[in-house]
Structures are given as structure tokens and as C-alpha cells.
Amino acid sequence: MRPRPRTAAYGPLLTLLLLVAGLLLPAATATAADNGTWGVFPTPAAGAAMTDRAYFFHQGAAGTAISDSVTLLNSSDRELTFQVFATDAVNTPAGGAFALLPVEQKPRDVGAWIALAPEAATTVTVPPKGRKDIPFTVKVPEDATPGDHVGGIVALNTAVEGIRQEGKVQVGVKRQVGSRLYFRVPGPVTPGLSVEDVKVSRSAPLLPWIKNARATVSYTLVNRGNVVVEPKVAVSAEGLFGRTVLDRPARELKLVLLPGQRIELTEPWADAPQSDRVTVRVSAGATAYPDLTSASEAEFIAVPWPAFGVLLVLAGAALTLLVLRRRRRPRTEQAAPAPDLAATR
């Protein structure tokens, strides 16, 4: 059963806020597994003060079990109490940051395979300047699919550290730190990466070529394989007659794209064309898999519409004046008199 938060100092209102917080707190973005106050990391070897493992890396066939231990380190001068849990990892849809699911969301992958020691069933208290080692076991299901399964072990501080506004609702803020866990089930490895939904949005000045036009190239990366991919992306664009108007070589995005995840990314373009027909191409690959490539394109026509509209207005005004002048012009030619037929006889 989930422990009840201490509410003596705040009364029923904070109890309500905490309940709402449990529903609204997003997945915690995983950075280093230490926030300066407490840390979560693989337990060091016997006799060692620190670990040489940044994250957990394990491999095991379906039906096997792997044992390890996680360490909670309290760097503060006060006692800290944590709720410790295992969960799955995801990429945030916008930007692709590595994140661990919140405690309220039930894991369905490797997070569900992890069984923590009974001492972590409720809460774990770590003394000031102290540490706590918690053993755990990864039990790989018989039907586990080959490839990478990514999750983590999280320490959620039970103390409320502030109040945050979520729309019209106030929520209590708790902090959590998680250590990543990468687990590979042996079998066929099928890396997959695709670029999809390339789009371009533009913002041009009212008077063309007085200031630079700006554009944003947005696209989606999808990991369609069963292994983790660290993508690199190149962006290029061609104008009329094959002219190169943008050429950004492939670069590492510094993110880990998990199997089955899709993320939306953007690329700013500060000096986009103001009058051209442009084809934008986004290409993606991965250094670890040289044969893994994908690309997608989008076209747009850059027209300085405000200036074009002004020209149309001026042309229309000039045409109107010309028509009015012709209508007001006096007749300079008079009809010739009829010939006198009697005089010619």
C-alpha cells in the first residue's frame, strides 16, 4: 500500500494537493542519477566507495534471472525517506529526452520484470550522509522478445518540496532521481529508423530582403527496430535549378531513441529563402549501424506575399486611373459633313 504523506503542518488542503500531484506529475526526465542532495546508482563492488558503472547494463535469455543491487546515497544533513520503484523508460514526444514513467503508471516491459528486495516494499529511509543498498532481481519472462528493453530504478522523495500551478489546479511537487537500466534479450537484432512528417513553417518580413526570413523544419524520428539507436541527422535544401540553399552535415543528436518510440524534433533556419521553390530533405542514420539510413522530403514555395500584395494594389490603382482618364478625354474629332449631291450633277 502506498504510504500516506505527512500533512500535519498543512491540513486537508495539502492532502488533496498531494493526491492531485500523484495524477499530474509528468515522467521525470533522466539526467545524471544525482541531484546534489541524493543519488541513485549501481551498487559499488565490495570495499569500493564509488561505482565505475554509470547505469545498469545486463543481458539474459528468456526465462533466466539476473541479480544486482541499487544504492541510494543521501548527501544531505537530514534524514530522507524514499519510495523506491522500478519502471519503464520512454522518450518524451517533443525533443526526445530520456524519461522514466511516474510511480502511478504501471510498467509493462523491463520495469515489470524487476523485483526489489522486501525492504523496499513500502518506503526506504536513508540517514544523513548515509547510503542504503537495495538488492533486486530481473526475471526475464519466457516470452520476452529479443532486443533492448530499457527502464530504470527510481527513488521518489516522499517530502513535498513546493506547490506548482497546473492550469487551474495547484499540485504538490516531489522530486525523483532514477538510474537507467539497459537489458538485452539475445536474439535477432533488427535496427530500424525512419524519418517522417517533414514540414516547414516560415516567417517572412513585410518588406522582402530588408530582414532575413526565418523558417523552422520539423520532422519525426521513429525507432522501428528492437534495439536502441543514437541517431544523427543531416538537413539540406535545394532551390530552383538545383541550387543549394541549405547544407547542414550529419551530426549526433545526443539522445537515445528507444525501440518503438517516436519523437518530434525541429531545426531552426535563420536565413530561409524569400522568393524560391524549395525542397527540404532530412536524412537520418546511426554511427553504430552504418547501413541504417532514412530520408524524407517536403516542398514549399517562398513568396513575399505582403510585397506581392502591395504590387497588385498599385497595379490595380494604375489601371483604374488609366480607365478614368480615357473616359474623361474630350472628343477632338467631329463627324465630317455629308457631301452635296446636287452640286456634283
Side-chain angles (χ1 to χ4, degrees), residues 201-227:
S201 59
R202 297 179 61 252
S203 175
L206 292 176
L207 294 177
W209 302 289
I210 301 299
K211 296 171 60 178
N212 287 338
R214 297 180 179 275
T216 299
V217 180
S218 60
Y219 58 96
T220 300
L221 290 183
V222 186
N223 186 341
R224 299 192 177 279
N226 64 354
V227 291

mmCIF file of all heavy atoms in Angstrom, residues 201-227:
data_model
loop_
_atom_site.group_PDB
_atom_site.id
_atom_site.type_symbol
_atom_site.label_atom_id
_atom_site.label_comp_id
_atom_site.label_asym_id
_atom_site.label_seq_id
_atom_site.Cartn_x
_atom_site.Cartn_y
_atom_site.Cartn_z
ATOM 1 N N SER A 201 7.647 25.575 -41.637
ATOM 2 C CA SER A 201 6.852 26.772 -41.346
ATOM 3 C C SER A 201 7.750 27.990 -41.501
ATOM 4 O O SER A 201 8.916 27.959 -41.110
ATOM 5 C CB SER A 201 6.276 26.700 -39.924
ATOM 6 O OG SER A 201 7.306 26.590 -38.966
ATOM 7 N N ARG A 202 7.210 29.089 -42.088
ATOM 8 C CA ARG A 202 8.023 30.252 -42.418
ATOM 9 C C ARG A 202 7.481 31.507 -41.751
ATOM 10 O O ARG A 202 6.297 31.624 -41.455
ATOM 11 C CB ARG A 202 8.058 30.481 -43.931
ATOM 12 C CG ARG A 202 8.679 29.376 -44.726
ATOM 13 C CD ARG A 202 8.642 29.679 -46.211
ATOM 14 N NE ARG A 202 9.373 30.890 -46.562
ATOM 15 C CZ ARG A 202 8.801 32.029 -46.922
ATOM 16 N NH1 ARG A 202 7.493 32.131 -46.975
ATOM 17 N NH2 ARG A 202 9.537 33.080 -47.232
ATOM 18 N N SER A 203 8.381 32.458 -41.550
ATOM 19 C CA SER A 203 8.036 33.786 -41.057
ATOM 20 C C SER A 203 8.892 34.782 -41.817
ATOM 21 O O SER A 203 10.110 34.837 -41.627
ATOM 22 C CB SER A 203 8.286 33.889 -39.552
ATOM 23 O OG SER A 203 8.057 35.196 -39.094
ATOM 24 N N ALA A 204 8.250 35.560 -42.706
ATOM 25 C CA ALA A 204 8.991 36.490 -43.576
ATOM 26 C C ALA A 204 8.673 37.930 -43.207
ATOM 27 O O ALA A 204 7.587 38.246 -42.721
ATOM 28 C CB ALA A 204 8.629 36.227 -45.040
ATOM 29 N N PRO A 205 9.604 38.864 -43.438
ATOM 30 C CA PRO A 205 9.351 40.284 -43.153
ATOM 31 C C PRO A 205 8.333 40.854 -44.122
ATOM 32 O O PRO A 205 8.122 40.342 -45.222
ATOM 33 C CB PRO A 205 10.729 40.919 -43.346
ATOM 34 C CG PRO A 205 11.445 40.010 -44.291
ATOM 35 C CD PRO A 205 10.960 38.631 -43.964
ATOM 36 N N LEU A 206 7.680 41.978 -43.716
ATOM 37 C CA LEU A 206 6.700 42.614 -44.585
ATOM 38 C C LEU A 206 7.329 43.105 -45.874
ATOM 39 O O LEU A 206 6.763 42.967 -46.962
ATOM 40 C CB LEU A 206 6.025 43.773 -43.846
ATOM 41 C CG LEU A 206 5.126 43.380 -42.667
ATOM 42 C CD1 LEU A 206 4.601 44.632 -41.974
ATOM 43 C CD2 LEU A 206 3.978 42.497 -43.136
ATOM 44 N N LEU A 207 8.521 43.675 -45.760
ATOM 45 C CA LEU A 207 9.248 44.114 -46.953
ATOM 46 C C LEU A 207 10.377 43.123 -47.207
ATOM 47 O O LEU A 207 11.270 42.960 -46.364
ATOM 48 C CB LEU A 207 9.813 45.525 -46.750
ATOM 49 C CG LEU A 207 8.769 46.637 -46.613
ATOM 50 C CD1 LEU A 207 9.456 47.960 -46.353
ATOM 51 C CD2 LEU A 207 7.901 46.708 -47.866
ATOM 52 N N PRO A 208 10.345 42.428 -48.341
ATOM 53 C CA PRO A 208 11.346 41.388 -48.590
ATOM 54 C C PRO A 208 12.760 41.940 -48.672
ATOM 55 O O PRO A 208 12.990 43.063 -49.127
ATOM 56 C CB PRO A 208 10.888 40.784 -49.918
ATOM 57 C CG PRO A 208 10.102 41.870 -50.579
ATOM 58 C CD PRO A 208 9.433 42.604 -49.467
ATOM 59 N N TRP A 209 13.683 41.130 -48.200
ATOM 60 C CA TRP A 209 15.127 41.383 -48.295
ATOM 61 C C TRP A 209 15.588 42.567 -47.424
ATOM 62 O O TRP A 209 16.747 42.931 -47.446
ATOM 63 C CB TRP A 209 15.561 41.571 -49.741
ATOM 64 C CG TRP A 209 15.195 40.365 -50.547
ATOM 65 C CD1 TRP A 209 15.764 39.130 -50.496
ATOM 66 C CD2 TRP A 209 14.136 40.277 -51.500
ATOM 67 N NE1 TRP A 209 15.119 38.265 -51.347
ATOM 68 C CE2 TRP A 209 14.117 38.944 -51.991
ATOM 69 C CE3 TRP A 209 13.191 41.182 -51.989
ATOM 70 C CZ2 TRP A 209 13.200 38.498 -52.924
ATOM 71 C CZ3 TRP A 209 12.279 40.730 -52.930
ATOM 72 C CH2 TRP A 209 12.297 39.414 -53.396
ATOM 73 N N ILE A 210 14.663 43.184 -46.683
ATOM 74 C CA ILE A 210 15.083 44.173 -45.688
ATOM 75 C C ILE A 210 15.629 43.450 -44.460
ATOM 76 O O ILE A 210 16.625 43.857 -43.860
ATOM 77 C CB ILE A 210 13.904 45.097 -45.306
ATOM 78 C CG1 ILE A 210 13.384 45.825 -46.535
ATOM 79 C CG2 ILE A 210 14.334 46.076 -44.221
ATOM 80 C CD1 ILE A 210 14.407 46.709 -47.199
ATOM 81 N N LYS A 211 14.962 42.364 -44.091
ATOM 82 C CA LYS A 211 15.386 41.494 -42.991
ATOM 83 C C LYS A 211 15.343 40.050 -43.477
ATOM 84 O O LYS A 211 14.705 39.737 -44.487
ATOM 85 C CB LYS A 211 14.463 41.678 -41.782
ATOM 86 C CG LYS A 211 14.513 43.068 -41.173
ATOM 87 C CD LYS A 211 13.422 43.252 -40.117
ATOM 88 C CE LYS A 211 13.570 42.249 -38.990
ATOM 89 N NZ LYS A 211 12.543 42.448 -37.942
ATOM 90 N N ASN A 212 16.028 39.161 -42.736
ATOM 91 C CA ASN A 212 16.037 37.754 -43.103
ATOM 92 C C ASN A 212 14.686 37.101 -42.824
ATOM 93 O O ASN A 212 13.995 37.451 -41.869
ATOM 94 C CB ASN A 212 17.111 36.996 -42.317
ATOM 95 C CG ASN A 212 18.509 37.311 -42.793
ATOM 96 O OD1 ASN A 212 18.701 37.763 -43.925
ATOM 97 N ND2 ASN A 212 19.501 37.093 -41.949
ATOM 98 N N ALA A 213 14.324 36.180 -43.691
ATOM 99 C CA ALA A 213 13.161 35.335 -43.435
ATOM 100 C C ALA A 213 13.592 34.177 -42.551
ATOM 101 O O ALA A 213 14.712 33.687 -42.661
ATOM 102 C CB ALA A 213 12.584 34.817 -44.750
ATOM 103 N N ARG A 214 12.703 33.744 -41.677
ATOM 104 C CA ARG A 214 13.006 32.640 -40.775
ATOM 105 C C ARG A 214 12.086 31.468 -41.083
ATOM 106 O O ARG A 214 10.938 31.642 -41.483
ATOM 107 C CB ARG A 214 12.847 33.069 -39.312
ATOM 108 C CG ARG A 214 13.811 34.170 -38.899
ATOM 109 C CD ARG A 214 13.622 34.558 -37.444
ATOM 110 N NE ARG A 214 14.567 35.594 -37.055
ATOM 111 C CZ ARG A 214 15.795 35.352 -36.643
ATOM 112 N NH1 ARG A 214 16.219 34.094 -36.545
ATOM 113 N NH2 ARG A 214 16.605 36.343 -36.311
ATOM 114 N N ALA A 215 12.617 30.269 -40.870
ATOM 115 C CA ALA A 215 11.831 29.061 -41.078
ATOM 116 C C ALA A 215 12.183 28.039 -40.005
ATOM 117 O O ALA A 215 13.240 28.119 -39.370
ATOM 118 C CB ALA A 215 12.075 28.481 -42.472
ATOM 119 N N THR A 216 11.292 27.111 -39.821
ATOM 120 C CA THR A 216 11.519 26.001 -38.898
ATOM 121 C C THR A 216 11.181 24.704 -39.611
ATOM 122 O O THR A 216 10.064 24.549 -40.130
ATOM 123 C CB THR A 216 10.655 26.138 -37.635
ATOM 124 O OG1 THR A 216 10.990 27.351 -36.960
ATOM 125 C CG2 THR A 216 10.900 24.963 -36.692
ATOM 126 N N VAL A 217 12.148 23.807 -39.662
ATOM 127 C CA VAL A 217 11.938 22.482 -40.252
ATOM 128 C C VAL A 217 11.586 21.529 -39.111
ATOM 129 O O VAL A 217 12.361 21.348 -38.175
ATOM 130 C CB VAL A 217 13.196 21.988 -40.990
ATOM 131 C CG1 VAL A 217 12.951 20.607 -41.597
ATOM 132 C CG2 VAL A 217 13.628 22.991 -42.054
ATOM 133 N N SER A 218 10.419 20.948 -39.159
ATOM 134 C CA SER A 218 10.002 19.972 -38.148
ATOM 135 C C SER A 218 9.915 18.594 -38.789
ATOM 136 O O SER A 218 9.559 18.460 -39.963
ATOM 137 C CB SER A 218 8.658 20.364 -37.535
ATOM 138 O OG SER A 218 7.648 20.427 -38.519
ATOM 139 N N TYR A 219 10.234 17.573 -38.008
ATOM 140 C CA TYR A 219 10.217 16.200 -38.520
ATOM 141 C C TYR A 219 10.064 15.225 -37.362
ATOM 142 O O TYR A 219 10.227 15.600 -36.190
ATOM 143 C CB TYR A 219 11.491 15.893 -39.312
ATOM 144 C CG TYR A 219 12.770 16.061 -38.531
ATOM 145 C CD1 TYR A 219 13.391 14.973 -37.913
ATOM 146 C CD2 TYR A 219 13.375 17.313 -38.399
ATOM 147 C CE1 TYR A 219 14.562 15.139 -37.190
ATOM 148 C CE2 TYR A 219 14.539 17.482 -37.674
ATOM 149 C CZ TYR A 219 15.127 16.390 -37.079
ATOM 150 O OH TYR A 219 16.287 16.546 -36.353
ATOM 151 N N THR A 220 9.748 13.995 -37.694
ATOM 152 C CA THR A 220 9.559 12.940 -36.695
ATOM 153 C C THR A 220 10.549 11.821 -36.950
ATOM 154 O O THR A 220 10.722 11.394 -38.097
ATOM 155 C CB THR A 220 8.125 12.385 -36.752
ATOM 156 O OG1 THR A 220 7.197 13.446 -36.493
ATOM 157 C CG2 THR A 220 7.916 11.288 -35.713
ATOM 158 N N LEU A 221 11.212 11.368 -35.881
ATOM 159 C CA LEU A 221 12.066 10.178 -35.941
ATOM 160 C C LEU A 221 11.360 9.032 -35.239
ATOM 161 O O LEU A 221 10.832 9.200 -34.131
ATOM 162 C CB LEU A 221 13.418 10.434 -35.269
ATOM 163 C CG LEU A 221 14.396 11.390 -35.956
ATOM 164 C CD1 LEU A 221 15.706 11.440 -35.165
ATOM 165 C CD2 LEU A 221 14.652 10.986 -37.393
ATOM 166 N N VAL A 222 11.362 7.874 -35.881
ATOM 167 C CA VAL A 222 10.701 6.695 -35.318
ATOM 168 C C VAL A 222 11.696 5.539 -35.279
ATOM 169 O O VAL A 222 12.338 5.229 -36.292
ATOM 170 C CB VAL A 222 9.466 6.283 -36.153
ATOM 171 C CG1 VAL A 222 8.720 5.141 -35.472
ATOM 172 C CG2 VAL A 222 8.539 7.475 -36.361
ATOM 173 N N ASN A 223 11.834 4.916 -34.111
ATOM 174 C CA ASN A 223 12.663 3.713 -33.977
ATOM 175 C C ASN A 223 11.768 2.509 -34.227
ATOM 176 O O ASN A 223 10.974 2.116 -33.371
ATOM 177 C CB ASN A 223 13.282 3.639 -32.586
ATOM 178 C CG ASN A 223 14.267 2.473 -32.459
ATOM 179 O OD1 ASN A 223 14.249 1.533 -33.250
ATOM 180 N ND2 ASN A 223 15.123 2.533 -31.459
ATOM 181 N N ARG A 224 11.881 1.926 -35.399
ATOM 182 C CA ARG A 224 11.051 0.791 -35.781
ATOM 183 C C ARG A 224 11.766 -0.552 -35.580
ATOM 184 O O ARG A 224 11.260 -1.586 -36.008
ATOM 185 C CB ARG A 224 10.594 0.941 -37.236
ATOM 186 C CG ARG A 224 9.763 2.201 -37.462
ATOM 187 C CD ARG A 224 9.076 2.216 -38.798
ATOM 188 N NE ARG A 224 8.230 3.395 -38.957
ATOM 189 C CZ ARG A 224 7.007 3.524 -38.463
ATOM 190 N NH1 ARG A 224 6.491 2.511 -37.786
ATOM 191 N NH2 ARG A 224 6.309 4.634 -38.640
ATOM 192 N N GLY A 225 12.921 -0.522 -34.943
ATOM 193 C CA GLY A 225 13.656 -1.753 -34.687
ATOM 194 C C GLY A 225 13.478 -2.226 -33.258
ATOM 195 O O GLY A 225 12.614 -1.765 -32.522
ATOM 196 N N ASN A 226 14.353 -3.153 -32.848
ATOM 197 C CA ASN A 226 14.260 -3.702 -31.489
ATOM 198 C C ASN A 226 15.502 -3.393 -30.658
ATOM 199 O O ASN A 226 15.721 -4.020 -29.619
ATOM 200 C CB ASN A 226 14.015 -5.219 -31.541
ATOM 201 C CG ASN A 226 15.156 -5.992 -32.170
ATOM 202 O OD1 ASN A 226 16.114 -5.408 -32.683
ATOM 203 N ND2 ASN A 226 15.076 -7.322 -32.121
ATOM 204 N N VAL A 227 16.304 -2.429 -31.110
ATOM 205 C CA VAL A 227 17.484 -2.029 -30.348
ATOM 206 C C VAL A 227 17.541 -0.511 -30.236
ATOM 207 O O VAL A 227 16.959 0.214 -31.042
ATOM 208 C CB VAL A 227 18.794 -2.541 -30.999
ATOM 209 C CG1 VAL A 227 18.903 -4.057 -30.890
ATOM 210 C CG2 VAL A 227 18.894 -2.095 -32.446
#
